[in-house]
Amino acid sequence: MERSREIIVIGGGHAGCEAALAAATLGVNTLLITTDITKLGVMSCNPSIGGIGKGQIVREIDALGGFTGQCTDQTTLQFRMLNRSKGAAMHSPRAQCDRDLFSLNWRAKLEATPNLSIIQDTIEELLLDTHHGKVQCVGVRSKLRGELPAQRVILTAGTFLNGLIHVGMYHTPGGRIDESAVPRLTDQLVAHGIRSARFKTGTSPRIDLRTINLDVCRIQAGDEEGGCFSYSTTSPTPLPQRPCYITETNPRTHEILRSNLDRSPLFQHIIQGRGPRYCPSVEDKIHIFADKPSHPIFLEPENSEGNTIYINGFSTSLPYDVQEAGLHSIQGLEEAHIIRPGYAIEYDYFDPLQLEHTLASKVIPQLYIAGQLNGTTGYEEAAAQGLLAGINAAHALMGKAPIILRRSEAYIGVMIDDLVTKGVDEPYRMFTSRAEHRLSLRQDNADERLYSLAQAIGLRSATALESTREKYEKVTLFSTHLSQSSLTPESINAYLTAQNSTPLPQAIKAHKLLLRPEVKLDALLSHLPTLIPNDFTLSSEIIHSTETRIKYASYIEKEEQESEQTLKIDTIHIPDTLDYSTIESISIEGRQKLRQHRPKTLGEAKHIPGIKPSDLKAILIAMRSFVPRETKE
């Protein structure tokens, strides 16, 4: 028997890496167990981090002291800020990464972390002991080492529990392609009262860049000015930047795929697990959107120098020959050489309703569960859960208070609250629409809103925390200065006319003028440099934060008032005859689930998985103009 560890983390994916790093950094003796030490933090699917809702999560991970944001910045091949045409609350960072280097950087980070050991082994079961009549987790039993005692265990096994891979009619156990599944652990947990079910996910083929006709594809370049995820990143990525390319499917592609659905494990109901709604397979897309003549295909580089290209938009479990024929029907891919085919994978997940907000199990004390095992999909969602599980397991041993993020504090708080109070009936993906406080939960201010919590946790360095404090102290001072500075018509009307903005008839405070959407603070300062206080250094970050704070202040106040009202509406009755299909402002997912569940009150509707705060508002508005069916007749 090896010596006892304080915390054992099972699984070296995004959740496991963040969990192990957090626990060890907090000073707790931690052991990370993974089936393949060369796959730590591996990107099993698309080689990117971030996106709508997800980018905000990564910024929050960084603000709390996690490593995902830094690792992304060190391996970025292309950075884009999505939704730039919308308001700042919708801006979402996304980066293409060098997939191999991303994993190598995670490994280097973990191996250099004090209090952390890593072993390559497979866990066969948990060590469970009865204490005061209740079963609790006291360690693990591995295939090669036998019993490994621990005071806390964090389970982050991703898609490995009873994982089953499908390529056409070929099916093989596996947690990832060519990696063994873990067959017995689910049965043990189910026998002790943990509820389990099956989900499905999938990935796309990888093809050789040299066999693509890029001349007929559209270039999708990154932002010229670049960007980063970590608040501590001070220099641009060291890697050469690479573009993505866009092509699209066509009616011939759809005909090839459609004529082979009899060989699809999905359409032949061999795959029983439900897949992610917002990342459907290509065969699902041509079925659900049968009227669409084409679907976009994004060609994304997987590394800085190699030739492997990930085909975003072509996730599939069809047989290899059908995948090849379908790809060869797409413009630019007529000669594409498939390096690795796409595949689907079914796996076990556990009911997150049986978790505390700390991600500790309600059923088996001293066990924490994080990541895809809780029914989520995506690297970012998994990493955030791992970070919180690692912190809370360490805090439990240190006698410190648990860290529970509120919905008003972070997207991570929204996600965990959704999971443990609503549960899941399909793989959970974060979207900005899930957050009722999304105007204040922006990607640019995660360091500010989580500053006090980061101080209490202790993962962020003192230097990073001091930098954050100084930054927002300057933002506050500059905001105050702008609220006290007057602008005269003579000084500003030429600028306003150039911006197609109404000239001023009289003097106005600078912060009032910034409420106009067309007025930008950096342009205003260029026109009137005297607005900058003496001996005051303004970075682009401070200018952006100041402007966003001023422009959003009244909207955030209104959002808070609406949230308070929403808390009071749980008992409002919903008419039985309300036709959800006619309420177009409710999301398609929301309409489907409301018709299925037929909630009697708004409180019941709120607890349906997938129902967003915006859906509840839409129901309220519809009810105001609702006329019962009998009255209409």
mmCIF file of all heavy atoms in Angstrom, residues 38 56 103 132 189 211 221 267 278 318 342 379 387 427 465 468 472 480 520 541 549 563 565 587:
data_model
loop_
_atom_site.group_PDB
_atom_site.id
_atom_site.type_symbol
_atom_site.label_atom_id
_atom_site.label_comp_id
_atom_site.label_asym_id
_atom_site.label_seq_id
_atom_site.Cartn_x
_atom_site.Cartn_y
_atom_site.Cartn_z
ATOM 1 N N THR A 38 0.793 11.322 -21.169
ATOM 2 C CA THR A 38 1.071 12.175 -22.326
ATOM 3 C C THR A 38 -0.180 12.896 -22.817
ATOM 4 O O THR A 38 -0.111 13.667 -23.776
ATOM 5 C CB THR A 38 1.649 11.348 -23.493
ATOM 6 O OG1 THR A 38 0.640 10.467 -24.007
ATOM 7 C CG2 THR A 38 2.854 10.538 -23.058
ATOM 8 N N GLN A 56 -16.114 33.669 -21.314
ATOM 9 C CA GLN A 56 -16.309 34.304 -20.011
ATOM 10 C C GLN A 56 -15.888 33.363 -18.884
ATOM 11 O O GLN A 56 -15.284 33.783 -17.891
ATOM 12 C CB GLN A 56 -17.782 34.723 -19.836
ATOM 13 C CG GLN A 56 -18.181 35.952 -20.635
ATOM 14 C CD GLN A 56 -18.619 35.653 -22.055
ATOM 15 O OE1 GLN A 56 -18.232 34.666 -22.645
ATOM 16 N NE2 GLN A 56 -19.438 36.530 -22.614
ATOM 17 N N SER A 103 -1.271 20.561 -24.366
ATOM 18 C CA SER A 103 -1.125 19.433 -23.442
ATOM 19 C C SER A 103 0.255 19.417 -22.790
ATOM 20 O O SER A 103 0.396 19.175 -21.589
ATOM 21 C CB SER A 103 -1.379 18.124 -24.202
ATOM 22 O OG SER A 103 -1.279 17.012 -23.340
ATOM 23 N N HIS A 132 -20.033 5.552 11.094
ATOM 24 C CA HIS A 132 -21.282 5.968 11.746
ATOM 25 C C HIS A 132 -22.496 5.617 10.886
ATOM 26 O O HIS A 132 -23.431 6.401 10.736
ATOM 27 C CB HIS A 132 -21.273 7.480 12.039
ATOM 28 C CG HIS A 132 -20.206 7.886 13.024
ATOM 29 N ND1 HIS A 132 -20.050 7.302 14.251
ATOM 30 C CD2 HIS A 132 -19.215 8.820 12.921
ATOM 31 C CE1 HIS A 132 -19.031 7.851 14.898
ATOM 32 N NE2 HIS A 132 -18.494 8.775 14.108
ATOM 33 N N LEU A 189 -20.740 2.770 -7.985
ATOM 34 C CA LEU A 189 -21.384 3.976 -7.485
ATOM 35 C C LEU A 189 -22.906 3.853 -7.525
ATOM 36 O O LEU A 189 -23.605 4.298 -6.603
ATOM 37 C CB LEU A 189 -20.919 5.192 -8.283
ATOM 38 C CG LEU A 189 -19.439 5.537 -8.137
ATOM 39 C CD1 LEU A 189 -19.073 6.727 -8.999
ATOM 40 C CD2 LEU A 189 -19.073 5.806 -6.692
ATOM 41 N N THR A 211 -3.658 18.438 -48.677
ATOM 42 C CA THR A 211 -4.600 17.870 -49.653
ATOM 43 C C THR A 211 -5.857 18.732 -49.793
ATOM 44 O O THR A 211 -6.838 18.299 -50.396
ATOM 45 C CB THR A 211 -4.997 16.444 -49.247
ATOM 46 O OG1 THR A 211 -5.672 16.468 -47.971
ATOM 47 C CG2 THR A 211 -3.771 15.549 -49.139
ATOM 48 N N ALA A 221 -9.505 35.009 -40.742
ATOM 49 C CA ALA A 221 -8.315 35.454 -40.014
ATOM 50 C C ALA A 221 -8.673 35.813 -38.578
ATOM 51 O O ALA A 221 -9.831 36.070 -38.246
ATOM 52 C CB ALA A 221 -7.696 36.656 -40.715
ATOM 53 N N PHE A 267 -28.883 6.859 -36.336
ATOM 54 C CA PHE A 267 -30.217 6.730 -36.916
ATOM 55 C C PHE A 267 -30.747 5.300 -36.856
ATOM 56 O O PHE A 267 -31.946 5.083 -37.028
ATOM 57 C CB PHE A 267 -30.217 7.260 -38.354
ATOM 58 C CG PHE A 267 -30.318 8.752 -38.424
ATOM 59 C CD1 PHE A 267 -29.196 9.539 -38.234
ATOM 60 C CD2 PHE A 267 -31.531 9.376 -38.630
ATOM 61 C CE1 PHE A 267 -29.277 10.927 -38.272
ATOM 62 C CE2 PHE A 267 -31.622 10.754 -38.663
ATOM 63 C CZ PHE A 267 -30.502 11.532 -38.485
ATOM 64 N N TYR A 278 -26.550 21.745 -29.086
ATOM 65 C CA TYR A 278 -25.937 22.873 -29.785
ATOM 66 C C TYR A 278 -24.657 22.500 -30.534
ATOM 67 O O TYR A 278 -23.958 23.377 -31.021
ATOM 68 C CB TYR A 278 -25.689 24.017 -28.796
ATOM 69 C CG TYR A 278 -26.977 24.515 -28.197
ATOM 70 C CD1 TYR A 278 -27.377 24.127 -26.911
ATOM 71 C CD2 TYR A 278 -27.832 25.333 -28.931
ATOM 72 C CE1 TYR A 278 -28.575 24.571 -26.385
ATOM 73 C CE2 TYR A 278 -29.035 25.777 -28.396
ATOM 74 C CZ TYR A 278 -29.402 25.397 -27.124
ATOM 75 O OH TYR A 278 -30.597 25.819 -26.602
ATOM 76 N N LEU A 318 -20.747 8.247 -38.950
ATOM 77 C CA LEU A 318 -20.986 7.444 -40.146
ATOM 78 C C LEU A 318 -19.740 6.620 -40.486
ATOM 79 O O LEU A 318 -18.631 6.947 -40.052
ATOM 80 C CB LEU A 318 -21.359 8.355 -41.315
ATOM 81 C CG LEU A 318 -22.787 8.927 -41.273
ATOM 82 C CD1 LEU A 318 -22.921 10.109 -42.217
ATOM 83 C CD2 LEU A 318 -23.810 7.842 -41.605
ATOM 84 N N GLY A 342 -13.948 10.744 -38.026
ATOM 85 C CA GLY A 342 -14.756 11.166 -36.896
ATOM 86 C C GLY A 342 -15.399 9.963 -36.220
ATOM 87 O O GLY A 342 -15.479 8.877 -36.811
ATOM 88 N N TYR A 379 -14.558 21.855 -22.844
ATOM 89 C CA TYR A 379 -13.369 21.966 -21.996
ATOM 90 C C TYR A 379 -13.558 22.997 -20.898
ATOM 91 O O TYR A 379 -13.129 22.815 -19.750
ATOM 92 C CB TYR A 379 -12.152 22.388 -22.830
ATOM 93 C CG TYR A 379 -11.916 21.645 -24.112
ATOM 94 C CD1 TYR A 379 -11.509 22.329 -25.261
ATOM 95 C CD2 TYR A 379 -12.063 20.254 -24.198
ATOM 96 C CE1 TYR A 379 -11.248 21.659 -26.446
ATOM 97 C CE2 TYR A 379 -11.820 19.580 -25.382
ATOM 98 C CZ TYR A 379 -11.420 20.293 -26.503
ATOM 99 O OH TYR A 379 -11.178 19.633 -27.687
ATOM 100 N N LEU A 387 -11.730 23.211 -11.086
ATOM 101 C CA LEU A 387 -11.142 24.238 -10.228
ATOM 102 C C LEU A 387 -11.902 24.357 -8.916
ATOM 103 O O LEU A 387 -11.302 24.353 -7.836
ATOM 104 C CB LEU A 387 -11.143 25.580 -10.967
ATOM 105 C CG LEU A 387 -10.655 26.789 -10.185
ATOM 106 C CD1 LEU A 387 -9.184 26.667 -9.836
ATOM 107 C CD2 LEU A 387 -10.903 28.080 -10.975
ATOM 108 N N PRO A 427 -26.670 17.067 -22.716
ATOM 109 C CA PRO A 427 -25.384 17.677 -22.341
ATOM 110 C C PRO A 427 -25.501 19.197 -22.201
ATOM 111 O O PRO A 427 -26.012 19.875 -23.085
ATOM 112 C CB PRO A 427 -24.462 17.277 -23.493
ATOM 113 C CG PRO A 427 -25.031 15.984 -23.982
ATOM 114 C CD PRO A 427 -26.521 16.140 -23.862
ATOM 115 N N LEU A 465 -2.873 40.076 -7.787
ATOM 116 C CA LEU A 465 -3.965 40.711 -7.047
ATOM 117 C C LEU A 465 -3.716 42.210 -6.890
ATOM 118 O O LEU A 465 -4.640 43.017 -7.022
ATOM 119 C CB LEU A 465 -4.110 40.053 -5.669
ATOM 120 C CG LEU A 465 -4.715 38.640 -5.672
ATOM 121 C CD1 LEU A 465 -4.573 38.006 -4.304
ATOM 122 C CD2 LEU A 465 -6.183 38.680 -6.083
ATOM 123 N N THR A 468 -4.490 43.981 -10.092
ATOM 124 C CA THR A 468 -5.943 44.141 -10.259
ATOM 125 C C THR A 468 -6.458 45.290 -9.408
ATOM 126 O O THR A 468 -7.273 46.113 -9.866
ATOM 127 C CB THR A 468 -6.676 42.835 -9.880
ATOM 128 O OG1 THR A 468 -6.245 41.786 -10.742
ATOM 129 C CG2 THR A 468 -8.190 42.989 -9.999
ATOM 130 N N TYR A 472 -8.322 48.785 -11.031
ATOM 131 C CA TYR A 472 -9.691 49.250 -10.810
ATOM 132 C C TYR A 472 -9.752 50.487 -9.907
ATOM 133 O O TYR A 472 -10.730 51.217 -9.921
ATOM 134 C CB TYR A 472 -10.562 48.106 -10.283
ATOM 135 C CG TYR A 472 -10.870 47.149 -11.408
ATOM 136 C CD1 TYR A 472 -10.193 45.938 -11.532
ATOM 137 C CD2 TYR A 472 -11.793 47.484 -12.403
ATOM 138 C CE1 TYR A 472 -10.444 45.084 -12.593
ATOM 139 C CE2 TYR A 472 -12.043 46.638 -13.471
ATOM 140 C CZ TYR A 472 -11.374 45.444 -13.565
ATOM 141 O OH TYR A 472 -11.616 44.618 -14.628
ATOM 142 N N THR A 480 -14.745 58.921 -11.946
ATOM 143 C CA THR A 480 -15.130 60.089 -11.141
ATOM 144 C C THR A 480 -14.704 61.379 -11.836
ATOM 145 O O THR A 480 -15.467 62.356 -11.889
ATOM 146 C CB THR A 480 -14.497 60.008 -9.747
ATOM 147 O OG1 THR A 480 -14.917 58.795 -9.116
ATOM 148 C CG2 THR A 480 -14.905 61.199 -8.894
ATOM 149 N N LYS A 520 -17.119 57.062 -28.446
ATOM 150 C CA LYS A 520 -16.153 56.124 -27.886
ATOM 151 C C LYS A 520 -15.099 56.893 -27.087
ATOM 152 O O LYS A 520 -14.615 57.936 -27.529
ATOM 153 C CB LYS A 520 -15.461 55.317 -28.996
ATOM 154 C CG LYS A 520 -16.431 54.622 -29.949
ATOM 155 C CD LYS A 520 -17.333 53.634 -29.221
ATOM 156 C CE LYS A 520 -18.288 52.935 -30.175
ATOM 157 N NZ LYS A 520 -19.245 52.064 -29.459
ATOM 158 N N GLU A 541 -6.650 49.042 -21.557
ATOM 159 C CA GLU A 541 -7.511 48.246 -20.682
ATOM 160 C C GLU A 541 -8.301 49.133 -19.720
ATOM 161 O O GLU A 541 -9.502 48.933 -19.507
ATOM 162 C CB GLU A 541 -6.649 47.241 -19.897
ATOM 163 C CG GLU A 541 -7.440 46.102 -19.290
ATOM 164 C CD GLU A 541 -6.534 45.060 -18.650
ATOM 165 O OE1 GLU A 541 -5.359 45.370 -18.344
ATOM 166 O OE2 GLU A 541 -6.999 43.941 -18.428
ATOM 167 N N ARG A 549 -17.967 50.614 -17.831
ATOM 168 C CA ARG A 549 -18.629 50.872 -16.550
ATOM 169 C C ARG A 549 -19.630 52.008 -16.684
ATOM 170 O O ARG A 549 -20.752 51.925 -16.168
ATOM 171 C CB ARG A 549 -17.579 51.209 -15.480
ATOM 172 C CG ARG A 549 -18.181 51.501 -14.123
ATOM 173 C CD ARG A 549 -17.133 51.894 -13.095
ATOM 174 N NE ARG A 549 -16.317 50.767 -12.679
ATOM 175 C CZ ARG A 549 -15.442 50.824 -11.681
ATOM 176 N NH1 ARG A 549 -15.271 51.960 -11.023
ATOM 177 N NH2 ARG A 549 -14.729 49.757 -11.351
ATOM 178 N N SER A 563 -34.191 41.253 -11.735
ATOM 179 C CA SER A 563 -33.857 40.005 -11.056
ATOM 180 C C SER A 563 -34.588 39.896 -9.727
ATOM 181 O O SER A 563 -35.058 38.818 -9.351
ATOM 182 C CB SER A 563 -32.343 39.913 -10.828
ATOM 183 O OG SER A 563 -31.656 39.850 -12.050
ATOM 184 N N GLN A 565 -37.462 41.243 -9.061
ATOM 185 C CA GLN A 565 -38.862 40.958 -9.384
ATOM 186 C C GLN A 565 -39.056 39.499 -9.771
ATOM 187 O O GLN A 565 -40.053 38.874 -9.397
ATOM 188 C CB GLN A 565 -39.326 41.867 -10.532
ATOM 189 C CG GLN A 565 -39.421 43.335 -10.144
ATOM 190 C CD GLN A 565 -39.680 44.227 -11.358
ATOM 191 O OE1 GLN A 565 -39.774 43.743 -12.481
ATOM 192 N NE2 GLN A 565 -39.789 45.530 -11.122
ATOM 193 N N SER A 587 -36.746 30.592 -26.626
ATOM 194 C CA SER A 587 -35.833 29.796 -27.441
ATOM 195 C C SER A 587 -36.524 28.521 -27.915
ATOM 196 O O SER A 587 -37.497 28.055 -27.308
ATOM 197 C CB SER A 587 -34.583 29.424 -26.629
ATOM 198 O OG SER A 587 -34.937 28.599 -25.524
#
